[in-house]
Amino acid sequence: SSGIPVVLIDRDVPSLSAAGRVLLDNEKAGRIATRSLLCKGRRNIALIRYETSIATILDKEKGYFSELKSNDLTPRIEIVSRQSMDREISSAIKLCKEDGIDGFIFPSNTISIAGMSAIHRLGYSIPEDFNVVCFDQENVSGVYTPGVDFVDQPTNLVAEYAFRMLKEAVCNETPMSTLILNPIIYSNK
């Protein structure tokens, strides 16, 4: 170790045991997103994501999966290629509609934008055809009509806490710690 303080933001690297961490509870975020759709009466909920090994997305998927299982419902996960995401997400949404899916979770900003665009292109309506929960959409959630629910990743707060942790480590030699932030869902009823 070089003795230089490091704070990880939104991604964990378990091998960096001395690093500080400011993370969102992504598994809880997946549960909250799913619960939001369940509260709107949706029972056939699919999660669409792209191929990835990014833990934040996979943790949201775990939360989705566990929330549906705890309600005796069957999860459906559609995985699309990042290279042909627009085409594949349109196909996945069409198939889901044919199979009776009535709600979608899009667990990242990129997939949220692609998913909402595909729903619009395909001529489906929210909330008549589907209810949707997106992630990290605060800055564009008002663009969608009607509005969609979104789980915010508070980047300003994450940055503020990371800066404070780093400053304390440098100025006061305070040991690094892990701070897990609770997700916040914004609902458009």
Side-chain angles (χ1 to χ4, degrees):
S1 171
S2 63
I4 298 171
V6 173
V7 177
L8 302 173
I9 299 173
D10 190 41
R11 301 285 192 278
D12 195 7
V13 180
S15 61
L16 296 176
S17 58
R21 290 158 172 75
V22 181
L23 310 168
L24 180 69
D25 187 337
N26 285 294
E27 194 167 333
K28 185 175 184 179
R31 288 192 312 271
I32 287 171
T34 307
R35 201 171 303 138
S36 170
L37 293 172
L38 292 171
C39 288
K40 291 182 178 188
R42 302 305 179 160
R43 294 294 176 264
N44 299 305
I45 302 166
L47 180 140
I48 299 180
R49 67 169 175 86
Y50 48 79
E51 297 167 341
T52 187
S53 60
I54 298 172
T56 57
I57 292 173
L58 299 176
D59 287 345
K60 291 169 191 167
E61 183 179 303
K62 284 181 201 170
Y64 154 81
F65 189 87
S66 67
E67 188 66 28
L68 282 185
K69 284 299 192 183
S70 71
N71 283 280
D72 295 321
L73 297 171
T74 304
R76 177 164 176 172
I77 298 166
E78 295 286 330
I79 301 172
V80 299
S81 164
R82 280 195 83 151
Q83 290 73 27
S84 54
M85 187 173 359
D86 289 339
R87 180 178 43 78
E88 287 187 30
I89 200 165
S90 291
S91 295
I93 289 170
K94 271 202 266 190
L95 275 174
C96 285
K97 177 66 173 160
E98 291 169 9
D99 292 343
I101 295 296
D102 58 8
F104 285 110
I105 295 175
F106 300 129
S108 76
N109 187 49
T110 301
I111 201 82
S112 293
I113 292 168
M116 293 300 295
S117 296
I119 287 171
H120 177 72
R121 262 193 325 274
L122 292 166
Y124 296 129
S125 298
I126 298 171
E128 293 78 16
D129 293 304
F130 312 108
N131 277 106
V132 176
V133 177
C134 296
F135 278 77
D136 309 331
Q137 289 293 301
E138 182 175 18
N139 56 343
V140 295
S141 65
V143 172
Y144 304 123
T145 303
V148 297
D149 292 1
F150 71 96
V151 179
D152 183 33
Q153 179 172 317
T155 51
N156 290 343
L157 196 56
V158 169
E160 180 182 329
Y161 285 134
F163 178 77
R164 284 184 194 172
M165 189 181 294
L166 194 56
K167 182 180 173 192
E168 285 296 315
V170 170
C171 295
N172 301 325
E173 297 182 17
T174 304
M176 291 291 184
S177 61
T178 298
L179 179 60
I180 308 285
L181 300 176
N182 278 314
I184 299 169
I185 190 164
Y186 294 92
S187 182
N188 292 291
K189 301 191 186 251

